[in-house]
Amino acid sequence: MTPYSLENYEKYKTVKIRPVPLPNKNQDPSHGQFQYVQLSWRELEPARGEFRIEGIEEALRAALNPILVLMPDLPVWVKNDADDCFAALIRKVGSYIGSDRRLTAVLISTLSDSKEEWNAYIEAFDSQTMLAELQNDRLIQYVKEHSCGFGLLVRCSEANWIECCEAFAVQKLQHVWKSHPVVLHVTDLACGPNIRREALRWHASLSNVNAGLGYDLALRRLTYPETVSSHGSLPLRFWFANTGSSRIYRDFQICVQLRQGEVSYELPLHAATHTWLTGDHVHNEMVPLPDMSPGSYTLSIALYFEDRSYVALNIQNRQQNGYYETGSIQVEITHEDPLTNIWDTYYPEGYYPLEDPVVPEQE
């Protein structure tokens, strides 16, 4: 590619950052594995109406990506209407947990697959992710008919992986992963080659064993101007790539930090990260800058979840409190900002604007 190619055309001097991936990156279990939090009905409600659910918070805190399972073992006091009694417990636990973000998902486990129990989960855990067993076709059909979002729990082994593939196809579940997680429960002692291959095709995000699942997000390129104006505009062009097996299901936001010594400015961006699946993601944004003292600043980026924990990127750049340093930028005091309308006549990816083609004259 020559220096005069369109790829290298810029109307202002830019800095192009191409971070290097981490060498021999180890799988981070914080987003690739899960643990069950199994709660016994017999222990949660030893007597009718007497609930002991205070220990749920500690159980969620101790587990890695906890998936809640309410075990429908009958207490001794249950004599009649067991389905209704278990549904009442589901509603009680759901109201107690609420929208607690520590809970990754809740498995729809029932006493007799009754609609009363299903409705209890749908109503009580409406702010949580619910998982349906892949082989429970009646439940899947029911939640589809009621337009309820749901993820999948796939119990898979080297002996039944073909049946799991057929269940995905018959029930048309290939696209569930785009909005809700597919969770893999390996019933063998280890994840075999057929399970691993199909888990990638199903875009599974979590597993009970280390199967190399989850997102793997990296910053491939960042382009920004060498110099900007105080109280002016900062045009940013990002290229991210998620080479993992699944998307990121929690909401997160891109933030940019400009730091000079002890002074720093945090600039939240407006990227539609909720639409990011796997593969490449490009985001261009013209960021307004506050009044800043002139000089050189360190430009860093972070991807923060709502609780201020951060997305770990697969890059070698120095990281502090979630912010990855990318480079330096010069801030100047100017009478007018030359970058405010730079993208009106100039494509942000570095290409000349093209006119619409003219229809050839018919002979």
Side-chain angles (χ1 to χ4, degrees), residues 12 15 221-225 228 233-239 254-258 267 269 282-287 289 299-301 326 329 343 348-349:
Y12 53 90
V15 177
R221 186 179 66 193
L222 169 62
T223 305
Y224 61 87
V228 293
S233 302
L234 171 59
L236 295 172
R237 289 142 51 184
F238 293 93
W239 172 21
I254 304 175
C255 292
V256 171
Q257 182 191 71
L258 299 178
L267 309 171
L269 305 189
V282 175
H283 176 67
N284 303 323
E285 185 167 342
M286 190 72 70
V287 184
L289 295 175
L299 190 149
S300 305
I301 69 162
T326 57
I329 186 171
W343 286 349
E349 283 307 306

Side-chain angles (χ1 to χ4, degrees), residues 66-129:
I67 293 180
L68 178 65
V69 182
L70 297 179
M71 302 172 62
D73 48 348
L74 287 174
V76 294
W77 57 266
V78 176
K79 305 300 180 183
N80 301 304
D81 302 321
D83 294 355
D84 293 340
C85 293
F86 189 59
L89 173 75
I90 295 169
R91 290 187 169 89
K92 181 66 177 180
V93 174
S95 64
Y96 180 80
I97 292 178
S99 59
D100 194 329
R101 292 295 95 190
R102 290 174 296 184
L103 181 61
T104 299
V106 55
L107 177 64
I108 301 178
S109 57
T110 62
L111 193 65
S112 59
D113 265 356
S114 68
K115 292 183 179 180
E116 176 61 28
E117 294 169 293
W118 294 344
N119 288 333
Y121 277 105
I122 293 172
E123 295 164 6
F125 292 95
D126 59 337
S127 59
Q128 297 285 353
T129 298

Side-chain angles (χ1 to χ4, degrees), residues 219-272:
L219 176 65
R220 289 288 180 83
R221 186 179 66 193
L222 169 62
T223 305
Y224 61 87
E226 290 183 356
T227 303
V228 293
S229 301
S230 173
H231 201 61
S233 302
L234 171 59
L236 295 172
R237 289 142 51 184
F238 293 93
W239 172 21
F240 290 95
N242 181 2
T243 58
S245 64
S246 72
R247 59 168 295 175
I248 302 174
Y249 292 98
R250 295 172 59 189
D251 292 336
F252 66 95
Q253 183 180 38
I254 304 175
C255 292
V256 171
Q257 182 191 71
L258 299 178
R259 176 178 290 276
Q260 184 186 64
E262 297 299 319
V263 179
S264 66
Y265 302 88
E266 183 171 282
L267 309 171
L269 305 189
H270 300 90

Side-chain angles (χ1 to χ4, degrees), residues 135-184:
Q135 302 298 346
N136 194 339
D137 51 353
R138 286 186 59 245
L139 170 59
I140 291 174
Q141 184 62 32
Y142 185 80
V143 293
K144 281 184 175 180
E145 290 175 353
H146 287 73
S147 302
C148 298
F150 66 97
L152 293 171
L153 179 70
V154 183
R155 299 185 188 273
C156 189
S157 68
E158 287 294 302
N160 78 332
W161 66 271
I162 294 179
E163 287 80 1
C164 292
C165 293
E166 291 173 346
F168 268 93
V170 170
Q171 300 181 77
K172 299 180 180 179
L173 300 172
Q174 298 91 332
H175 300 296
V176 166
W177 73 276
K178 293 182 178 180
S179 56
H180 294 83
V182 174
V183 177
L184 176 68

Side-chain angles (χ1 to χ4, degrees), residues 6 347 351-357:
L6 291 178
Y347 282 10
Y351 294 96
Y352 294 100
L354 300 176
E355 296 181 358
D356 292 333

